[in-house]
Amino acid sequence: MAFNHKHLLGIQSLSAQDIRTILDTAESLSEISSREVKKVPILRGKTIINLFYEASTRTRSSFELAAKRLSADISNFSKATSAVVKGETLKDTILNLEAMNIDAIIMRHASSGSPHFVSSFCSSHVINAGDGTHEHPTQALLDALTIQQEKQTFKDLKVVIVGDILHSRVARSDLYLLKKLGAKVVLVGPPSLVPPAFKKYGAQIDYNFDRAIEDADVVMMLRIQLERQKRIYFPSLSEYHELFSLTPQRFSRAKHDAIIMHPGPINRDVEISTDMADSAKSVILKQVENGIAVRMAVLYLLLGGKEREITD
Amino acid sequence: MKLLIKNGRVIDPASGTDKTLDILIDRKKIAAVGSKINDKTAKVVDAAGKVVAPGFIDMHVHLREPGYEHKETIATGTLAAAAGGFTSVACMPNTSPINDNPGVTHSILTEAKRSARVNVLPIAAITRESAGEELTEMVNQAKAGAVAFSDDGRPLTNNQLMRRAMEYSQMLETTIIDHCETPDLSAGGVMHEGDYSYQFGLKGIPSSSEEVMVARDIILAESTGVGIHLAHLSTRGSVELVRRAKAKKIPVTAEVTPHHLLLDDSLLEHYDTNLKMKPPLRDKKDVQSLRKAAKEGVIDVIATDHAPHTPDEKEVEFDQAPFGIIGLETCVSLILDRLVREGILPLSRFIEMISSAPARILNLTDKGKIQPGADADLTLLDLNREVIVDVFAFRSHSRNSPFHGWKLKGAPEMTIVGGKIVYHC
Amino acid sequence: MEDKVKAKIMDSRKIKRSFHRMTHEIIERNRDLNNLVIVGVRTRGVFIAHRIQGLIQEFEGIEIPVGVLDITLYRDDFSDPTEQHIVKKTEIDFSIDKRDVLLVDDVLFTGRTIRAAMDSLIDLGRPKSIQLLVFIDRGHRELPIRADYVGKFLPTSRRERVKLQMKEIDNKDEVLIIEPAGTKQE
């Protein structure tokens, strides 16, 4: 059950056992958030930096609450409030933060691989809170915790992920994680947004949502980034909506006990209809709740206890 | 001032020579080549056990001067070249100002005369500011000393302009060199588009970005009858296009870099910005295809695309780092160890690709060969010397090499430019 | 070298007698048994808690609630720094406010576990009182902590380990003194 990692950079560098350890720890820690005094002392005296170069409310506050519930001190830095606007490089920013004797850096950055870059020269723990179009490991872990609570097992589960796969770090991390735990993953969207290269990582690809959703256990809808598309990848939102949005008619083709997931923020009536997002089958808010437990687990496993031998 | 190089294994691809010979140099020229030459007035270099080759020519180098002296200067770049076994370097025009007029060519040559260790051969821009809109004064630039024309790094996408440049250049004994890239296909891309770019979440540069332009250039070369040189090819599709063009006797020549012969896109998993360059490292099949093309002569030249950048510029997020790596001080050892010693590329073929072939393409009639009357530019190799690449020991001003720490067997022993020893290990 | 069993101190009959005695002491002291709750410290404290619960039920016919406490997040003595301490769930599905809490653990040694357990309990509510039951008290306290109910006082050397085996997980009931591997005989 040893978890011998110094950083959490992505799902790809975790084993199936590592993932189970994180999920089990998250299950154990989830009870703390329902207490009246939502705090345990394990990370007392640890200093964590929440370094968000990209806008985020959900992930940033989720990490912040997770750290606080473990008694760590956490400071928020955003691009707007940092010296980046004055032209400071990422490396200099990190070296300056490290000079303040911090223990961990949680970072979100628009450049893929930037947490890897930071981990190559800094001595703190680095936790990837989303890097470019690469990975978003804690999102995949909270998705997995939610699926585990609803479905108990991952083996042979059919998970359909729908939307802009090409630009989605969530889709990548979810794909890698679900494959490691034995689920079947089908990626759905227009061909311009679903590169066939993902077959190499075990995904099936289908451009027909109506066919792909048949017998699905989990339907995961991704946000369509309106600002990003500019009509290069698909001609119009209405055509996209017609082909790839989740409606009650489409959902009726999935298994009767299928669940609906979405990493948020949702575009109501774009990729998912309002009645679907708010339906009893939707576990979207459960995902948000699990986000705190998963992030507490990650922080505990990386920073908790004394210094351990690190193998990576 | 005479120099007598005794008992070296002389390999001269131009004449097909590969035997133990002596070479007598008198001032700047080779005076005699033969066995058992004696001249008591000459200084003797014992080359027993060493390979003596025509001076190596790197026809694709960025010396960065004028304008980017913090990355490299003519002095440091040519010092690196000499240590890397090169006797001549052709420098690309993307300096500041861009070398698009005889004044810049003249100033580069003036500075080279003052500080360069090896021959500096300026390449001038095809279009003003390399903006792809108006032709430069090609004839005047050639008169000032430009040996070739290229808008390297700023792909010339205007087909009509490229056609006219090729036609116009027929008045000159120069070459047009194209960096083949289609900007609308590569826009925003930072690595090869393939399985790994999707995995690493990095925007891809598809092979088609290069191949579309290679095809265009070949079609223009065929229709105008004017030769074109294709810089740093990286894909198997490009190799196929060039192979077919050469079979049809279309006047096209091609080049490949050491890194495209040795590295592939899977190595980018750690987001090392010293593996970021244009064209990007392609996949393993491309590497195999490039090696075969080099051996068979489909690709004519090995050139480094030496592109210095400072550590500050490279130690940033991957997608924000500049493209390019340096290569002058690693090229020869890399090819000798990883391709020649492994039996992938014959030694004489390597020497041809890096001496006589670039000399032919750049119309350097007195270079790239070992015969009486030729320029006394020679490169001596020790095939047995082991080196460990150490970027901190580079003569280059920059250290952006992915080969730091590589253990290699075979290295330049001595570099002779115009009859003068400019480097001896 | 492997750990060596140095002595078997108690067998199942002796252990059963101790449980009976401690249960009677608890009943005697807590006149309002309805206000009592039991909280076992993972792992063996939980089994001890359930046995005490069973005996109270048997003797008095009252079912006392039992909760489970995991103290990993409150520890200050990670004994093996190379080992990842796995956090398990704390499961106390009743309020401890104004209740008499009987805290249960297997072996009382330095007192640090109990310190952590009390901190944890106090984060969970404000009990009227906390009483401590341990099956073995082996001495060597580093904190001012004393048990209210003790199965057996067992003076040991610091080096030795004391192990309460319970049939719920160890297949039989016994108390062993163990000489850890790699230590010299004195």
Side-chain angles (χ1 to χ4, degrees):
Chain A
M1 286 287 264
F3 186 82
N4 288 326
H5 293 274
K6 180 167 179 186
H7 310 293
L8 178 67
L9 301 179
I11 296 296
Q12 271 208 323
S13 50
L14 300 179
S15 66
Q17 184 55 54
D18 290 334
I19 294 166
R20 285 194 198 96
T21 300
I22 297 172
L23 297 183
D24 289 349
T25 305
E27 282 284 6
S28 299
L29 294 172
S30 59
E31 158 265 338
I32 294 166
S33 294
S34 59
R35 293 183 189 176
E36 214 168 290
V37 178
K38 301 176 186 60
K39 208 181 201 44
V40 293
I42 188 72
L43 296 187
R44 216 155 46 93
K46 301 282 186 193
T47 307
I48 301 173
I49 300 290
N50 232 350
L51 185 61
F52 275 64
Y53 282 89
E54 261 188 352
S56 156
T57 29
R58 194 182 334 249
T59 307
R60 190 181 56 75
S61 11
S62 181
F63 266 114
E64 185 175 348
L65 292 175
K68 286 178 170 168
R69 285 176 191 176
L70 296 175
S71 299
D73 295 315
I74 184 160
S75 245
N76 288 309
F77 279 73
S78 70
K79 193 172 180 175
T81 60
S82 75
V84 173
V85 290
K86 297 177 189 167
E88 187 176 59
T89 65
L90 177 59
K91 185 172 183 179
D92 280 334
T93 301
I94 300 292
L95 292 176
N96 277 277
L97 291 172
E98 285 218 293
M100 301 179 203
N101 295 308
I102 57 169
D103 298 287
I105 297 168
I106 296 162
M107 73 178 279
R108 165 165 293 188
H109 199 293
S111 296
S112 299
S114 43
H116 303 66
F117 166 58
V118 167
S119 72
S120 72
F121 64 83
C122 88
S123 54
S124 312
H125 300 277
V126 177
I127 297 165
N128 183 0
D131 64 324
T133 54
H134 177 229
E135 281 228 47
H136 191 352
T138 56
Q139 177 70 41
L141 288 161
L142 73 88
D143 288 344
L145 184 62
T146 310
I147 292 172
Q148 179 170 280
Q149 288 165 352
E150 298 291 328
K151 301 284 166 196
Q152 284 72 47
T153 175
F154 294 91
K155 190 103 189 65
D156 300 326
L157 224 51
K158 181 176 180 183
V159 182
V160 181
I161 305 178
V162 189
D164 179 359
I165 309 294
L166 178 65
H167 297 105
S168 175
R169 54 194 173 210
V170 174
R172 281 173 179 76
S173 290
D174 273 322
L175 168 64
Y176 302 148
L177 185 148
L178 291 166
K179 291 312 294 180
K180 280 173 201 259
L181 296 185
K184 186 174 140 189
V185 178
V186 187
L187 303 177
V188 177
S192 49
L193 290 174
V194 186
F198 285 111
K199 285 182 190 161
K200 193 184 162 198
Y201 304 101
Q204 294 176 33
I205 287 174
D206 202 331
Y207 306 128
N208 182 330
F209 191 12
D210 290 316
R211 180 172 59 212
I213 200 172
E214 270 171 30
D215 297 324
D217 296 283
V218 177
V219 182
M220 195 181 292
M221 304 305 297
L222 299 177
R223 176 181 169 79
I224 271 294
Q225 307 222 359
L226 306 166
E227 62 281 5
R228 194 176 246 160
Q229 300 311 338
K230 294 183 190 147
R231 298 192 188 173
I232 288 179
Y233 296 99
F234 58 88
S236 72
L237 272 182
S238 66
E239 187 161 304
Y240 181 90
H241 180 80
E242 209 176 299
L243 296 169
F244 299 108
S245 79
L246 186 65
T247 57
Q249 296 92 303
R250 279 209 173 96
F251 190 65
S252 66
R253 293 163 165 264
K255 281 201 185 135
H256 72 281
D257 61 348
I259 54 171
I260 299 166
M261 301 178 75
H262 193 303
I266 61 174
N267 293 313
R268 284 176 185 269
D269 295 321
V270 179
E271 70 268 356
I272 184 166
S273 69
T274 277
D275 42 359
M276 285 280 88
D278 300 336
S279 81
K281 300 297 180 84
S282 162
V283 293
I284 295 172
L285 294 176
K286 186 80 194 151
Q287 287 173 271
V288 177
E289 184 186 348
N290 282 332
I292 293 189
V294 153
R295 290 175 178 119
M296 286 169 77
V298 167
L299 292 172
Y300 167 72
L301 290 169
L302 293 178
L303 284 94
K306 300 223 171 120
E307 280 307 308
R308 294 184 304 277
E309 265 181 63
I310 300 297
T311 54
D312 64 345
Chain B
M1 179 63 198
K2 288 181 182 175
L3 204 58
L4 180 57
I5 298 156
K6 297 279 289 180
N7 298 317
R9 176 184 166 195
V10 173
I11 300 181
D12 177 35
S15 60
T17 306
D18 183 351
K19 61 178 168 185
T20 304
L21 289 169
D22 299 343
I23 298 168
L24 181 66
I25 294 168
D26 188 2
R27 274 160 297 178
K28 293 184 165 183
K29 296 285 179 181
I30 293 172
V33 182
S35 46
K36 302 207 170 82
I37 298 176
N38 282 308
D39 188 326
K40 282 180 185 153
T41 63
K43 179 187 168 190
V44 174
V45 171
D46 177 14
K50 309 287 190 281
V51 168
V52 182
F56 290 175
I57 300 164
D58 189 343
M59 65 177 292
H60 197 140
V61 169
H62 298 270
L63 289 178
R64 303 295 189 213
E65 189 174 353
Y68 305 105
E69 289 83 356
H70 59 292
K71 299 176 193 249
E72 194 81 284
T73 62
I74 289 170
T76 58
T78 56
L79 201 57
F86 292 100
T87 56
S88 300
V89 292
C91 57
M92 284 295 173
N94 59 339
T95 46
S96 179
I98 285 175
N99 183 7
D100 63 357
N101 65 76
V104 179
T105 297
H106 179 75
S107 76
I108 290 170
L109 288 172
T110 305
E111 176 58 23
K113 198 170 262 178
R114 199 182 68 78
S115 68
R117 285 288 174 109
V118 305
N119 304 307
V120 172
L121 312 168
I123 298 169
I126 301 170
T127 64
R128 285 178 208 271
E129 302 273 317
S130 289
E133 286 163 8
E134 305 163 70
L135 292 179
T136 58
E137 291 183 353
M138 294 170 82
V139 172
N140 277 329
Q141 295 197 93
K143 278 184 189 163
V147 296
F149 293 90
S150 178
D151 278 354
D152 186 52
R154 308 216 18 207
L156 180 48
T157 54
N158 183 325
N159 304 322
Q160 176 72 310
L161 204 56
M162 182 55 109
R163 173 195 163 184
R164 297 299 180 211
M166 291 168 78
E167 287 172 351
Y168 195 79
S169 73
Q170 290 179 92
M171 289 191 284
L172 299 163
E173 300 244 301
T174 58
T175 306
I176 289 190
I177 301 171
D178 195 21
H179 163 126
C180 296
E181 177 183 349
T182 313
D184 45 56
L185 284 169
S186 63
V190 294
M191 72 171 288
H192 172 58
E193 180 178 304
D195 291 347
Y196 289 106
S197 67
Y198 292 114
Q199 180 188 334
F200 305 149
L202 293 173
K203 192 156 190 313
I205 300 174
S207 297
S208 57
S209 164
E210 174 174 307
E211 290 155 3
V212 165
M213 276 301 180
V214 168
R216 178 206 60 179
D217 287 351
I218 288 170
I219 290 164
L220 291 179
E222 183 174 27
S223 61
T224 61
V226 179
I228 190 159
H229 177 73
L230 308 176
H232 46 49
L233 294 188
S234 67
T235 77
R236 52 187 185 274
S238 296
V239 166
E240 231 16 76
L241 289 164
V242 172
R243 190 188 299 278
R244 272 187 275 160
K246 287 193 165 184
K248 286 174 70 181
K249 310 278 186 226
I250 297 169
V252 56
T253 54
E255 158 193 311
V256 66
T257 70
H259 45 277
H260 288 107
L261 289 168
L262 298 175
L263 307 173
D264 64 66
D265 61 342
S266 69
L267 299 167
L268 283 144
E269 60 175 329
H270 302 297
Y271 299 90
D272 180 358
T273 55
N274 286 330
L275 292 168
K276 180 179 175 183
M277 73 288 287
K278 262 189 187 175
L281 297 176
R282 301 293 184 180
D283 68 24
K284 290 187 170 64
K285 281 187 190 160
D286 291 311
V287 171
Q288 290 311 320
S289 165
L290 292 168
R291 289 177 171 193
K292 187 161 174 272
K295 185 178 178 180
E296 294 173 352
V298 173
I299 291 178
D300 305 82
V301 170
I302 291 178
T304 66
D305 195 6
H306 180 84
H309 295 292
T310 67
D312 284 353
E313 293 165 324
K314 277 288 195 180
E315 286 178 5
V316 295
E317 298 88 322
F318 192 87
D319 54 8
Q320 291 170 30
F323 292 93
I325 64 168
I326 55 176
L328 284 170
E329 287 171 86
T330 49
C331 171
V332 169
S333 291
L334 285 168
I335 303 293
L336 287 178
D337 184 80
R338 297 300 158 103
L339 297 183
V340 174
R341 224 162 55 84
E342 298 285 323
I344 295 162
L345 192 67
L347 178 60
S348 61
R349 174 68 194 140
F350 166 47
I351 292 173
E352 181 183 8
M353 292 183 81
I354 203 159
S355 62
S356 56
R360 170 173 50 84
I361 292 164
L362 295 174
N363 303 296
L364 308 170
T365 47
D366 291 337
K367 295 191 187 297
K369 57 193 175 189
I370 299 179
Q371 62 186 55
D375 288 346
D377 291 354
L378 296 172
T379 299
L380 274 63
L381 304 172
D382 181 344
L383 300 182
N384 295 312
R385 188 156 69 90
E386 289 188 2
V387 294
I388 295 172
V389 177
D390 178 3
V391 297
F392 300 101
F394 279 174
R395 281 85 171 165
S396 168
H397 209 66
S398 289
R399 300 198 284 268
N400 51 316
S401 167
F403 300 109
H404 182 65
W406 283 38
K407 226 178 131 176
L408 303 168
K409 193 170 177 185
E413 171 76 10
M414 182 182 280
T415 309
I416 299 169
V417 176
K420 272 172 56 184
I421 298 170
V422 297
Y423 169 78
H424 188 187
C425 80
Chain C
M1 211 165 81
E2 288 194 357
D3 292 357
K4 208 175 78 185
V5 176
K6 193 174 167 189
K8 182 171 158 184
I9 303 298
M10 296 174 88
D11 60 13
S12 63
R13 282 183 45 222
K14 283 185 182 166
I15 288 172
K16 189 176 173 192
R17 260 185 248 132
S18 290
F19 268 113
H20 279 241
R21 174 180 51 76
M22 287 192 293
T23 306
H24 285 300
E25 287 171 15
I26 293 163
I27 293 165
E28 197 172 279
R29 176 154 159 194
N30 292 280
R31 265 170 245 154
D32 184 7
L33 277 177
N34 287 315
N35 199 46
L36 188 70
V37 295
I38 309 180
V39 172
V41 177
R42 280 189 194 273
T43 306
R44 285 178 182 72
V46 178
F47 301 118
I48 298 172
H50 279 116
R51 288 206 199 175
I52 299 284
Q53 177 195 41
L55 290 172
I56 294 175
Q57 170 99 45
E58 189 184 324
F59 301 155
E60 299 292 315
I62 294 172
E63 190 179 342
I64 312 282
V66 171
V68 176
L69 192 63
D70 185 275
I71 56 137
T72 311
L73 299 170
Y74 288 80
R75 287 178 75 157
D76 66 351
D77 61 339
F78 289 95
S79 51
D80 182 353
T82 61
E83 191 191 328
Q84 182 71 55
H85 288 264
I86 296 304
V87 187
K88 297 226 171 87
K89 209 167 194 154
T90 287
E91 293 168 284
I92 300 175
D93 50 12
F94 46 81
S95 166
I96 61 168
D97 282 343
K98 299 179 184 158
R99 305 295 288 264
D100 296 304
V101 176
L102 178 64
L103 182 63
V104 177
D105 199 6
D106 54 353
V107 178
L108 179 57
F109 182 31
T110 61
R112 290 182 189 272
T113 302
I114 301 304
R115 192 281 305 159
M118 286 197 291
D119 283 354
S120 177
L121 279 178
I122 283 160
D123 276 357
L124 292 169
R126 190 180 185 283
K128 183 172 168 227
S129 71
I130 298 177
Q131 300 163 35
L132 175 62
L133 180 150
V134 296
F135 198 82
I136 307 288
D137 181 347
R138 54 171 296 201
H140 304 291
R141 211 77 75 245
E142 293 169 2
L143 298 174
I145 283 169
R146 183 184 56 78
D148 299 276
Y149 314 98
V150 177
K152 183 160 181 69
F153 287 97
L154 190 59
T156 55
S157 94
R158 218 165 223 294
R159 192 189 65 240
E160 291 164 344
R161 286 219 309 269
V162 175
K163 189 150 194 220
L164 168 66
Q165 306 252 57
M166 299 188 70
K167 60 175 183 283
E168 289 90 336
I169 49 168
D170 306 307
N171 293 321
K172 61 170 147 178
D173 284 356
E174 59 185 10
V175 174
L176 304 173
I177 294 184
I178 291 173
E179 186 76 37
T183 55
K184 269 193 218 147
Q185 296 286 338
E186 278 172 303

